[in-house]
């Protein structure tokens, strides 16, 4: 693996989670110094120590991305520790409630939008001045396949991740001429600890509608993030990149009774694959 990000400072939110952890590890392997931001310090401690043992400069910060003041303080502290942020990865996300829309409470709705949409806005706004001054910056927003197709009984999550695509487009329109790229990644089902705890019938059904017939790996998302943060991706801007094993495609089968039977069997859990 090369050192495409040598000399760069990368900030990863939600760094203690499955995808965030893999992103941090990959960016460190590419040579970046790491700013890890998460709501809970214990989620970052082990990761930070492992990265430091490998020779990566690391600065950790506890902050709620939904709180503008906490975000500003964290970015300022990170700047003092490692220097201005060159690459921002807005990975922190939340699903506050899974329920029919009519039963979604005001606080739950507000919290999901605050973390999943307003949070990235806070981070982008905080790092942009330094990026503009240096005429170089990389912003990667982790959205979701739900941003395009919706997600059953997860209206807040779907709406907030869709809004993140609009934010991505506007950053590109306003700042591309100043050497800054802003792209969105739309993961499908990724094998995080949360996904691994899904009830088998739910997992099997998701796999039956995914052409790849497996969940994605966090390392695969991290590899895409690393590319988008590199100089090689300088002309890729305002893009919405699916990483979903083809699950965004129409899953209907009208020309093969055998394939229909195999999918029904998979959905019923008769031959679960991972």
């Amino acid at each position: 693996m090369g050192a495409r990000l040598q000399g760069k400072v990368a900030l990863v939110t939600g760094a203690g989670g499955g995808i965030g952890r893999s992103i941090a590890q990959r960016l460190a392997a590419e040579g970046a110094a790491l700013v890890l931001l998460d709501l809970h310090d214990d989620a970052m401690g082990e990761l930070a120590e492992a990265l430091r043992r490998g020779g990566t400069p690391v600065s950790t910060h506890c902050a709620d991305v939904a709180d503008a003041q906490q975000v500003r303080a964290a970015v300022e502290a990170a700047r003092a520790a490692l220097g201005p942020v060159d690459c921002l990865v807005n990975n922190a996300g939340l699903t506050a409630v899974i329920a029919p829309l009519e039963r979604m409470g005001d606080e739950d709705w507000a919290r999901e939008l605050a973390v999943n949409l307003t949070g990235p806005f806070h981070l982008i706004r905080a790092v942009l001045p330094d990026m503009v001054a240096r005429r170089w910056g990389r912003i990667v927003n982790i959205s979701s396949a739900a941003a395009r197709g919706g997600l059953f009984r997860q209206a807040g999550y779907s709406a907030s991740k869709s809004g993140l695509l609009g934010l991505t487009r506007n950053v590109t329109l306003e700042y591309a001429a100043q050497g800054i790229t802003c792209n969105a990644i739309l993961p499908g089902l990724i094998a995080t600890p949360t996904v691994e705890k899904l009830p088998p019938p739910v997992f099997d059904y998701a796999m039956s509608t995914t052409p790849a017939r497996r969940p994605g790996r966090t390392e695969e998302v991290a590899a895409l993030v690393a590319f988008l943060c590199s100089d090689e991706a300088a002309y890729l801007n305002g893009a919405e990149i699916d990483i979903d094993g083809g699950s965004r495609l129409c899953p209907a089968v009208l020309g093969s009774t055998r394939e229909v039977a195999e999918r029904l069997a998979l959905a019923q859990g008769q031959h679960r694959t991972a």
Side-chain angles (χ1 to χ4, degrees):
M1 190 176 298
R4 294 181 293 184
L5 301 179
Q6 192 69 44
K8 303 298 185 184
V9 175
L11 190 161
V12 182
T13 70
I19 293 178
R21 176 177 292 264
S22 286
I23 290 172
Q25 292 169 332
R26 179 59 184 259
L27 298 185
E30 296 275 2
L34 265 295
V35 179
L36 308 181
L37 191 150
D38 203 288
L39 191 58
H40 305 291
D41 187 58
D42 57 353
M44 298 181 288
E46 180 186 348
L47 172 62
E49 287 306 311
L51 292 175
R52 290 188 184 111
R53 286 195 298 271
T56 298
V58 180
S59 179
T60 62
H61 305 272
C62 288
D64 182 351
V65 297
D67 187 310
Q69 185 173 350
Q70 290 186 35
V71 167
R72 282 194 297 269
V75 171
E76 289 173 5
R79 193 181 196 280
L82 297 177
V85 171
D86 299 290
C87 308
L88 168 64
V89 184
N90 281 311
N91 169 72
L94 171 73
T95 299
V97 64
I98 299 176
L101 190 149
E102 63 186 287
R103 296 215 306 265
M104 189 166 196
D106 293 343
E107 292 183 1
D108 291 328
W109 171 265
R111 181 61 180 166
E112 289 200 17
L113 264 66
V115 172
N116 299 343
L117 179 55
T118 306
F121 165 75
H122 289 157
L123 268 300
I124 293 170
R125 185 175 59 180
V127 303
L128 268 175
D130 282 327
M131 291 182 176
V132 170
R134 298 192 309 283
R135 299 189 68 80
W136 198 98
R138 298 288 184 267
I139 300 169
V140 181
N141 294 323
I142 307 299
S143 180
S144 168
R148 287 205 181 109
L151 197 57
F152 186 68
R153 292 188 172 177
Q154 295 188 44
Y157 182 80
S158 175
S160 59
K161 290 297 189 177
S162 182
L164 190 54
L165 299 183
L167 179 61
T168 299
R169 297 171 193 137
N170 252 72
V171 173
T172 297
L173 289 170
E174 296 180 33
Y175 293 97
Q178 299 180 62
I180 297 167
T181 69
C182 185
N183 295 290
I185 294 175
L186 287 70
L189 203 67
I190 306 297
T192 62
T194 299
V195 166
E196 290 172 350
K197 294 177 183 177
L198 287 174
V202 174
F203 180 90
D204 292 338
Y205 175 74
M207 291 303 95
S208 75
T209 61
T210 301
R213 297 293 188 269
R214 67 169 179 87
R217 297 189 296 272
T218 58
E219 294 82 2
E220 291 171 319
V221 178
L224 178 54
V225 171
F227 169 69
L228 291 175
C229 287
S230 72
D231 281 325
E232 295 169 291
Y235 204 58
L236 186 57
N237 215 341
E240 301 163 6
I241 305 172
D242 300 280
I243 181 164
D244 62 1
S247 62
R248 69 194 177 282
L249 305 176
C250 177
V253 175
L254 304 178
S256 171
T257 56
R258 177 179 178 180
E259 178 67 15
V260 169
E262 289 180 354
R263 292 192 185 191
L264 288 173
L266 179 58
Q268 292 165 2
Q270 293 181 19
H271 55 282
R272 180 176 178 176
T273 59

Short mmCIF file of all heavy atoms in Angstrom, two decimals, residues 68-129:
data_model
loop_
_atom_site.label_atom_id
_atom_site.label_comp_id
_atom_site.label_asym_id
_atom_site.label_seq_id
_atom_site.Cartn_x
_atom_site.Cartn_y
_atom_site.Cartn_z
N ALA A 68 -22.82 22.44 17.60
CA ALA A 68 -21.87 23.27 16.84
C ALA A 68 -20.70 23.73 17.70
O ALA A 68 -19.55 23.77 17.22
CB ALA A 68 -22.60 24.48 16.25
N GLN A 69 -20.95 24.08 18.94
CA GLN A 69 -19.89 24.55 19.81
C GLN A 69 -18.87 23.45 20.10
O GLN A 69 -17.66 23.68 20.08
CB GLN A 69 -20.47 25.08 21.12
CG GLN A 69 -19.43 25.71 22.04
CD GLN A 69 -20.07 26.37 23.25
OE1 GLN A 69 -21.27 26.53 23.33
NE2 GLN A 69 -19.22 26.77 24.20
N GLN A 70 -19.37 22.23 20.36
CA GLN A 70 -18.46 21.11 20.60
C GLN A 70 -17.62 20.81 19.36
O GLN A 70 -16.43 20.48 19.46
CB GLN A 70 -19.24 19.87 21.02
CG GLN A 70 -19.87 19.95 22.40
CD GLN A 70 -20.50 18.64 22.81
OE1 GLN A 70 -20.01 17.55 22.48
NE2 GLN A 70 -21.61 18.73 23.54
N VAL A 71 -18.23 20.90 18.20
CA VAL A 71 -17.50 20.64 16.96
C VAL A 71 -16.41 21.68 16.76
O VAL A 71 -15.26 21.34 16.43
CB VAL A 71 -18.46 20.63 15.76
CG1 VAL A 71 -17.69 20.69 14.44
CG2 VAL A 71 -19.34 19.39 15.80
N ARG A 72 -16.74 22.95 16.95
CA ARG A 72 -15.73 24.00 16.79
C ARG A 72 -14.56 23.80 17.74
O ARG A 72 -13.39 23.93 17.36
CB ARG A 72 -16.36 25.38 17.02
CG ARG A 72 -17.18 25.90 15.86
CD ARG A 72 -17.47 27.38 16.02
NE ARG A 72 -18.28 27.64 17.19
CZ ARG A 72 -19.61 27.68 17.20
NH1 ARG A 72 -20.26 27.47 16.06
NH2 ARG A 72 -20.29 27.93 18.30
N ALA A 73 -14.87 23.45 18.99
CA ALA A 73 -13.82 23.24 19.99
C ALA A 73 -12.93 22.06 19.60
O ALA A 73 -11.70 22.11 19.74
CB ALA A 73 -14.44 23.03 21.36
N ALA A 74 -13.54 20.98 19.11
CA ALA A 74 -12.78 19.79 18.73
C ALA A 74 -11.87 20.08 17.55
O ALA A 74 -10.71 19.66 17.51
CB ALA A 74 -13.73 18.65 18.40
N VAL A 75 -12.39 20.79 16.55
CA VAL A 75 -11.58 21.12 15.37
C VAL A 75 -10.43 22.04 15.74
O VAL A 75 -9.30 21.88 15.26
CB VAL A 75 -12.47 21.74 14.26
CG1 VAL A 75 -11.61 22.29 13.13
CG2 VAL A 75 -13.44 20.69 13.73
N GLU A 76 -10.67 23.00 16.61
CA GLU A 76 -9.61 23.90 17.05
C GLU A 76 -8.54 23.14 17.82
O GLU A 76 -7.33 23.38 17.64
CB GLU A 76 -10.21 25.02 17.91
CG GLU A 76 -11.03 26.02 17.13
CD GLU A 76 -11.75 27.01 18.02
OE1 GLU A 76 -11.54 26.97 19.26
OE2 GLU A 76 -12.54 27.83 17.50
N ALA A 77 -8.96 22.21 18.69
CA ALA A 77 -8.00 21.41 19.45
C ALA A 77 -7.19 20.51 18.52
O ALA A 77 -5.98 20.34 18.71
CB ALA A 77 -8.73 20.58 20.50
N ALA A 78 -7.85 19.94 17.54
CA ALA A 78 -7.16 19.08 16.58
C ALA A 78 -6.15 19.89 15.77
O ALA A 78 -5.04 19.43 15.49
CB ALA A 78 -8.17 18.42 15.65
N ARG A 79 -6.52 21.09 15.40
CA ARG A 79 -5.62 21.96 14.64
C ARG A 79 -4.38 22.29 15.45
O ARG A 79 -3.25 22.30 14.93
CB ARG A 79 -6.36 23.24 14.26
CG ARG A 79 -5.65 24.10 13.23
CD ARG A 79 -6.48 25.35 12.95
NE ARG A 79 -6.06 26.01 11.73
CZ ARG A 79 -5.01 26.81 11.63
NH1 ARG A 79 -4.24 27.02 12.70
NH2 ARG A 79 -4.71 27.39 10.48
N ALA A 80 -4.58 22.53 16.73
CA ALA A 80 -3.45 22.84 17.59
C ALA A 80 -2.53 21.63 17.76
O ALA A 80 -1.31 21.77 17.89
CB ALA A 80 -3.95 23.31 18.96
N ALA A 81 -3.12 20.44 17.74
CA ALA A 81 -2.34 19.22 17.96
C ALA A 81 -1.62 18.74 16.71
O ALA A 81 -0.44 18.35 16.77
CB ALA A 81 -3.26 18.11 18.48
N LEU A 82 -2.30 18.77 15.57
CA LEU A 82 -1.74 18.16 14.36
C LEU A 82 -1.64 19.10 13.16
O LEU A 82 -0.98 18.77 12.18
CB LEU A 82 -2.57 16.93 13.96
CG LEU A 82 -2.61 15.77 14.96
CD1 LEU A 82 -3.53 14.68 14.45
CD2 LEU A 82 -1.21 15.22 15.21
N GLY A 83 -2.33 20.22 13.24
CA GLY A 83 -2.37 21.12 12.10
C GLY A 83 -3.74 21.14 11.45
O GLY A 83 -4.65 20.41 11.86
N PRO A 84 -3.93 21.98 10.44
CA PRO A 84 -5.23 22.09 9.78
C PRO A 84 -5.69 20.77 9.17
O PRO A 84 -4.88 19.96 8.72
CB PRO A 84 -4.99 23.13 8.68
CG PRO A 84 -3.77 23.86 9.11
CD PRO A 84 -2.92 22.88 9.85
N VAL A 85 -6.99 20.56 9.16
CA VAL A 85 -7.57 19.34 8.59
C VAL A 85 -7.56 19.43 7.06
O VAL A 85 -8.07 20.39 6.48
CB VAL A 85 -9.00 19.13 9.11
CG1 VAL A 85 -9.68 17.98 8.36
CG2 VAL A 85 -9.00 18.86 10.61
N ASP A 86 -6.97 18.42 6.44
CA ASP A 86 -6.96 18.34 4.97
C ASP A 86 -8.10 17.49 4.44
O ASP A 86 -8.66 17.79 3.38
CB ASP A 86 -5.64 17.71 4.50
CG ASP A 86 -4.43 18.52 4.92
OD1 ASP A 86 -4.23 19.61 4.36
OD2 ASP A 86 -3.67 18.06 5.80
N CYS A 87 -8.42 16.41 5.15
CA CYS A 87 -9.45 15.46 4.71
C CYS A 87 -10.47 15.28 5.83
O CYS A 87 -10.10 14.97 6.98
CB CYS A 87 -8.84 14.11 4.38
SG CYS A 87 -7.44 14.17 3.22
N LEU A 88 -11.72 15.46 5.50
CA LEU A 88 -12.81 15.27 6.47
C LEU A 88 -13.69 14.13 6.01
O LEU A 88 -14.17 14.13 4.87
CB LEU A 88 -13.65 16.55 6.59
CG LEU A 88 -14.97 16.42 7.33
CD1 LEU A 88 -14.76 16.06 8.81
CD2 LEU A 88 -15.79 17.70 7.21
N VAL A 89 -13.90 13.16 6.89
CA VAL A 89 -14.80 12.05 6.59
C VAL A 89 -15.96 12.10 7.58
O VAL A 89 -15.80 11.81 8.77
CB VAL A 89 -14.09 10.69 6.68
CG1 VAL A 89 -15.05 9.57 6.27
CG2 VAL A 89 -12.85 10.67 5.80
N ASN A 90 -17.12 12.49 7.09
CA ASN A 90 -18.32 12.56 7.92
C ASN A 90 -18.98 11.18 7.96
O ASN A 90 -19.83 10.84 7.13
CB ASN A 90 -19.30 13.60 7.37
CG ASN A 90 -18.91 15.01 7.75
OD1 ASN A 90 -18.63 15.30 8.91
ND2 ASN A 90 -18.87 15.90 6.77
N ASN A 91 -18.56 10.39 8.93
CA ASN A 91 -19.03 9.01 9.03
C ASN A 91 -20.05 8.81 10.15
O ASN A 91 -20.85 7.87 10.08
CB ASN A 91 -17.83 8.09 9.26
CG ASN A 91 -18.22 6.69 9.65
OD1 ASN A 91 -18.72 5.92 8.83
ND2 ASN A 91 -18.02 6.34 10.92
N ALA A 92 -20.04 9.65 11.16
CA ALA A 92 -20.95 9.46 12.31
C ALA A 92 -22.40 9.44 11.83
O ALA A 92 -22.82 10.27 11.02
CB ALA A 92 -20.75 10.58 13.33
N GLY A 93 -23.16 8.47 12.32
CA GLY A 93 -24.56 8.36 11.93
C GLY A 93 -25.39 7.71 13.02
O GLY A 93 -24.85 7.08 13.94
N LEU A 94 -26.69 7.87 12.92
CA LEU A 94 -27.58 7.42 13.98
C LEU A 94 -28.92 6.99 13.40
O LEU A 94 -29.46 7.64 12.51
CB LEU A 94 -27.80 8.55 14.99
CG LEU A 94 -28.86 8.35 16.06
CD1 LEU A 94 -28.37 7.34 17.10
CD2 LEU A 94 -29.20 9.67 16.75
N THR A 95 -29.43 5.88 13.90
CA THR A 95 -30.82 5.50 13.68
C THR A 95 -31.49 5.50 15.04
O THR A 95 -31.27 4.62 15.86
CB THR A 95 -30.93 4.09 13.06
OG1 THR A 95 -30.27 4.09 11.79
CG2 THR A 95 -32.39 3.72 12.85
N ALA A 96 -32.25 6.54 15.32
CA ALA A 96 -32.81 6.73 16.66
C ALA A 96 -34.03 5.86 16.91
O ALA A 96 -34.29 5.45 18.04
CB ALA A 96 -33.17 8.20 16.87
N VAL A 97 -34.79 5.57 15.87
CA VAL A 97 -36.03 4.82 16.07
C VAL A 97 -36.40 4.08 14.79
O VAL A 97 -36.16 4.56 13.68
CB VAL A 97 -37.17 5.77 16.49
CG1 VAL A 97 -37.50 6.76 15.39
CG2 VAL A 97 -38.42 4.99 16.88
N ILE A 98 -36.93 2.88 14.96
CA ILE A 98 -37.47 2.12 13.84
C ILE A 98 -38.95 1.91 14.12
O ILE A 98 -39.33 1.13 15.01
CB ILE A 98 -36.75 0.77 13.67
CG1 ILE A 98 -35.26 1.01 13.39
CG2 ILE A 98 -37.38 -0.04 12.54
CD1 ILE A 98 -34.44 -0.24 13.30
N ALA A 99 -39.78 2.63 13.39
CA ALA A 99 -41.22 2.61 13.66
C ALA A 99 -41.94 3.27 12.49
O ALA A 99 -41.33 4.00 11.71
CB ALA A 99 -41.53 3.37 14.95
N PRO A 100 -43.25 3.01 12.36
CA PRO A 100 -44.01 3.72 11.34
C PRO A 100 -43.88 5.23 11.52
O PRO A 100 -43.74 5.73 12.64
CB PRO A 100 -45.46 3.26 11.60
CG PRO A 100 -45.32 1.95 12.28
CD PRO A 100 -44.09 2.06 13.13
N LEU A 101 -43.91 5.94 10.42
CA LEU A 101 -43.71 7.39 10.46
C LEU A 101 -44.66 8.07 11.44
O LEU A 101 -44.26 8.98 12.17
CB LEU A 101 -43.90 7.96 9.05
CG LEU A 101 -43.50 9.41 8.82
CD1 LEU A 101 -43.00 9.59 7.39
CD2 LEU A 101 -44.66 10.36 9.08
N GLU A 102 -45.89 7.62 11.49
CA GLU A 102 -46.88 8.28 12.36
C GLU A 102 -46.56 8.12 13.84
O GLU A 102 -47.07 8.88 14.68
CB GLU A 102 -48.28 7.73 12.08
CG GLU A 102 -48.42 6.24 12.39
CD GLU A 102 -49.77 5.69 11.97
OE1 GLU A 102 -50.76 6.00 12.63
OE2 GLU A 102 -49.81 4.96 10.96
N ARG A 103 -45.69 7.15 14.17
CA ARG A 103 -45.33 6.95 15.57
C ARG A 103 -43.94 7.47 15.90
O ARG A 103 -43.43 7.26 16.99
CB ARG A 103 -45.41 5.46 15.93
CG ARG A 103 -46.82 4.88 15.83
CD ARG A 103 -47.06 3.82 16.89
NE ARG A 103 -46.07 2.77 16.89
CZ ARG A 103 -46.21 1.60 16.24
NH1 ARG A 103 -47.32 1.37 15.53
NH2 ARG A 103 -45.27 0.67 16.29
N MET A 104 -43.32 8.17 14.95
CA MET A 104 -41.99 8.73 15.20
C MET A 104 -42.13 10.02 15.97
O MET A 104 -42.79 10.97 15.54
CB MET A 104 -41.25 8.98 13.89
CG MET A 104 -39.80 9.35 14.09
SD MET A 104 -38.85 9.25 12.56
CE MET A 104 -37.18 9.25 13.22
N GLY A 105 -41.50 10.08 17.15
CA GLY A 105 -41.63 11.25 18.00
C GLY A 105 -40.83 12.44 17.49
O GLY A 105 -39.87 12.29 16.73
N ASP A 106 -41.22 13.62 17.92
CA ASP A 106 -40.54 14.84 17.51
C ASP A 106 -39.06 14.81 17.89
O ASP A 106 -38.19 15.20 17.10
CB ASP A 106 -41.20 16.06 18.14
CG ASP A 106 -42.61 16.29 17.63
OD1 ASP A 106 -42.97 15.72 16.58
OD2 ASP A 106 -43.37 17.04 18.28
N GLU A 107 -38.75 14.36 19.08
CA GLU A 107 -37.36 14.34 19.55
C GLU A 107 -36.52 13.34 18.75
O GLU A 107 -35.36 13.62 18.43
CB GLU A 107 -37.30 14.02 21.04
CG GLU A 107 -37.88 15.12 21.93
CD GLU A 107 -37.72 14.80 23.39
OE1 GLU A 107 -37.15 13.74 23.72
OE2 GLU A 107 -38.19 15.61 24.23
N ASP A 108 -37.12 12.19 18.44
CA ASP A 108 -36.39 11.19 17.65
C ASP A 108 -36.08 11.72 16.26
O ASP A 108 -34.96 11.57 15.74
CB ASP A 108 -37.21 9.90 17.54
CG ASP A 108 -37.33 9.18 18.87
OD1 ASP A 108 -36.39 9.27 19.67
OD2 ASP A 108 -38.36 8.54 19.10
N TRP A 109 -37.08 12.32 15.63
CA TRP A 109 -36.89 12.89 14.30
C TRP A 109 -35.80 13.97 14.33
O TRP A 109 -34.89 13.97 13.50
CB TRP A 109 -38.21 13.49 13.81
CG TRP A 109 -38.11 14.30 12.56
CD1 TRP A 109 -37.97 15.64 12.46
CD2 TRP A 109 -38.15 13.81 11.21
NE1 TRP A 109 -37.91 16.04 11.13
CE2 TRP A 109 -38.02 14.93 10.36
CE3 TRP A 109 -38.28 12.54 10.65
CZ2 TRP A 109 -38.02 14.81 8.97
CZ3 TRP A 109 -38.29 12.43 9.25
CH2 TRP A 109 -38.16 13.55 8.43
N ALA A 110 -35.89 14.87 15.29
CA ALA A 110 -34.93 15.96 15.38
C ALA A 110 -33.52 15.45 15.63
O ALA A 110 -32.54 15.97 15.08
CB ALA A 110 -35.34 16.93 16.49
N ARG A 111 -33.39 14.40 16.46
CA ARG A 111 -32.06 13.88 16.78
C ARG A 111 -31.40 13.23 15.56
O ARG A 111 -30.21 13.41 15.32
CB ARG A 111 -32.17 12.86 17.92
CG ARG A 111 -30.84 12.26 18.36
CD ARG A 111 -29.87 13.30 18.88
NE ARG A 111 -28.61 12.71 19.29
CZ ARG A 111 -27.50 13.41 19.53
NH1 ARG A 111 -27.50 14.73 19.39
NH2 ARG A 111 -26.40 12.80 19.91
N GLU A 112 -32.17 12.48 14.78
CA GLU A 112 -31.59 11.85 13.60
C GLU A 112 -31.11 12.89 12.59
O GLU A 112 -30.02 12.76 12.02
CB GLU A 112 -32.58 10.88 12.96
CG GLU A 112 -32.80 9.63 13.80
CD GLU A 112 -33.38 8.47 13.01
OE1 GLU A 112 -33.32 8.50 11.76
OE2 GLU A 112 -33.88 7.53 13.63
N LEU A 113 -31.91 13.92 12.36
CA LEU A 113 -31.48 14.97 11.45
C LEU A 113 -30.29 15.73 12.00
O LEU A 113 -29.38 16.11 11.25
CB LEU A 113 -32.64 15.94 11.16
CG LEU A 113 -33.42 15.64 9.87
CD1 LEU A 113 -34.16 14.30 9.97
CD2 LEU A 113 -34.40 16.76 9.56
N ALA A 114 -30.25 15.92 13.32
CA ALA A 114 -29.16 16.67 13.94
C ALA A 114 -27.83 15.94 13.79
O ALA A 114 -26.80 16.56 13.50
CB ALA A 114 -29.46 16.90 15.42
N VAL A 115 -27.83 14.63 13.97
CA VAL A 115 -26.59 13.86 13.88
C VAL A 115 -26.22 13.58 12.42
O VAL A 115 -25.07 13.78 12.01
CB VAL A 115 -26.71 12.54 14.66
CG1 VAL A 115 -25.50 11.64 14.39
CG2 VAL A 115 -26.86 12.80 16.14
N ASN A 116 -27.18 13.14 11.63
CA ASN A 116 -26.88 12.64 10.28
C ASN A 116 -26.74 13.74 9.23
O ASN A 116 -26.10 13.52 8.20
CB ASN A 116 -27.96 11.67 9.83
CG ASN A 116 -28.07 10.45 10.71
OD1 ASN A 116 -27.17 10.14 11.48
ND2 ASN A 116 -29.18 9.74 10.62
N LEU A 117 -27.33 14.90 9.46
CA LEU A 117 -27.30 15.97 8.47
C LEU A 117 -26.68 17.26 9.01
O LEU A 117 -25.74 17.80 8.42
CB LEU A 117 -28.71 16.24 7.95
CG LEU A 117 -28.85 17.36 6.90
CD1 LEU A 117 -27.93 17.11 5.71
CD2 LEU A 117 -30.30 17.47 6.44
N THR A 118 -27.18 17.72 10.14
CA THR A 118 -26.63 18.96 10.71
C THR A 118 -25.21 18.75 11.19
O THR A 118 -24.36 19.65 11.10
CB THR A 118 -27.52 19.47 11.86
OG1 THR A 118 -28.87 19.60 11.38
CG2 THR A 118 -27.05 20.82 12.36
N GLY A 119 -24.91 17.54 11.71
CA GLY A 119 -23.56 17.24 12.15
C GLY A 119 -22.53 17.43 11.05
O GLY A 119 -21.54 18.14 11.22
N PRO A 120 -22.71 16.79 9.89
CA PRO A 120 -21.78 17.02 8.78
C PRO A 120 -21.67 18.50 8.37
O PRO A 120 -20.59 18.98 8.05
CB PRO A 120 -22.38 16.18 7.64
CG PRO A 120 -23.04 15.05 8.36
CD PRO A 120 -23.64 15.67 9.59
N PHE A 121 -22.80 19.21 8.43
CA PHE A 121 -22.75 20.65 8.14
C PHE A 121 -21.82 21.36 9.11
O PHE A 121 -20.99 22.19 8.72
CB PHE A 121 -24.16 21.24 8.21
CG PHE A 121 -24.18 22.74 8.28
CD1 PHE A 121 -23.92 23.51 7.16
CD2 PHE A 121 -24.46 23.39 9.48
CE1 PHE A 121 -23.93 24.91 7.23
CE2 PHE A 121 -24.47 24.78 9.57
CZ PHE A 121 -24.21 25.54 8.43
N HIS A 122 -21.95 21.04 10.42
CA HIS A 122 -21.08 21.66 11.41
C HIS A 122 -19.60 21.39 11.12
O HIS A 122 -18.76 22.29 11.21
CB HIS A 122 -21.42 21.13 12.81
CG HIS A 122 -22.72 21.61 13.34
ND1 HIS A 122 -23.42 20.93 14.33
CD2 HIS A 122 -23.47 22.71 13.05
CE1 HIS A 122 -24.53 21.59 14.62
NE2 HIS A 122 -24.59 22.66 13.85
N LEU A 123 -19.29 20.13 10.79
CA LEU A 123 -17.90 19.77 10.54
C LEU A 123 -17.36 20.44 9.28
O LEU A 123 -16.24 20.97 9.27
CB LEU A 123 -17.79 18.25 10.41
CG LEU A 123 -17.47 17.41 11.64
CD1 LEU A 123 -16.12 17.79 12.25
CD2 LEU A 123 -18.56 17.48 12.69
N ILE A 124 -18.15 20.42 8.22
CA ILE A 124 -17.72 21.03 6.98
C ILE A 124 -17.46 22.52 7.18
O ILE A 124 -16.43 23.07 6.75
CB ILE A 124 -18.75 20.80 5.86
CG1 ILE A 124 -18.81 19.31 5.49
CG2 ILE A 124 -18.42 21.64 4.63
CD1 ILE A 124 -19.97 18.94 4.58
N ARG A 125 -18.37 23.18 7.84
CA ARG A 125 -18.22 24.62 8.08
C ARG A 125 -16.97 24.92 8.90
O ARG A 125 -16.29 25.93 8.68
CB ARG A 125 -19.47 25.15 8.80
CG ARG A 125 -19.48 26.65 9.00
CD ARG A 125 -20.78 27.12 9.61
NE ARG A 125 -21.03 26.48 10.90
CZ ARG A 125 -22.10 26.72 11.65
NH1 ARG A 125 -23.04 27.56 11.22
NH2 ARG A 125 -22.28 26.12 12.82
N ALA A 126 -16.66 24.02 9.83
CA ALA A 126 -15.51 24.26 10.71
C ALA A 126 -14.17 24.09 9.99
O ALA A 126 -13.20 24.78 10.32
CB ALA A 126 -15.58 23.32 11.91
N VAL A 127 -14.10 23.17 9.02
CA VAL A 127 -12.81 22.90 8.36
C VAL A 127 -12.62 23.68 7.07
O VAL A 127 -11.49 23.78 6.56
CB VAL A 127 -12.62 21.39 8.09
CG1 VAL A 127 -12.74 20.59 9.38
CG2 VAL A 127 -13.60 20.88 7.03
N LEU A 128 -13.67 24.21 6.51
CA LEU A 128 -13.57 24.88 5.21
C LEU A 128 -12.59 26.05 5.17
O LEU A 128 -11.85 26.19 4.19
CB LEU A 128 -14.95 25.35 4.75
CG LEU A 128 -15.75 24.38 3.88
CD1 LEU A 128 -17.14 24.92 3.60
CD2 LEU A 128 -15.02 24.08 2.57
N PRO A 129 -12.55 26.93 6.17
CA PRO A 129 -11.64 28.08 6.05
C PRO A 129 -10.19 27.69 5.78
O PRO A 129 -9.53 28.30 4.93
CB PRO A 129 -11.80 28.78 7.41
CG PRO A 129 -13.20 28.45 7.83
CD PRO A 129 -13.39 27.02 7.37
#
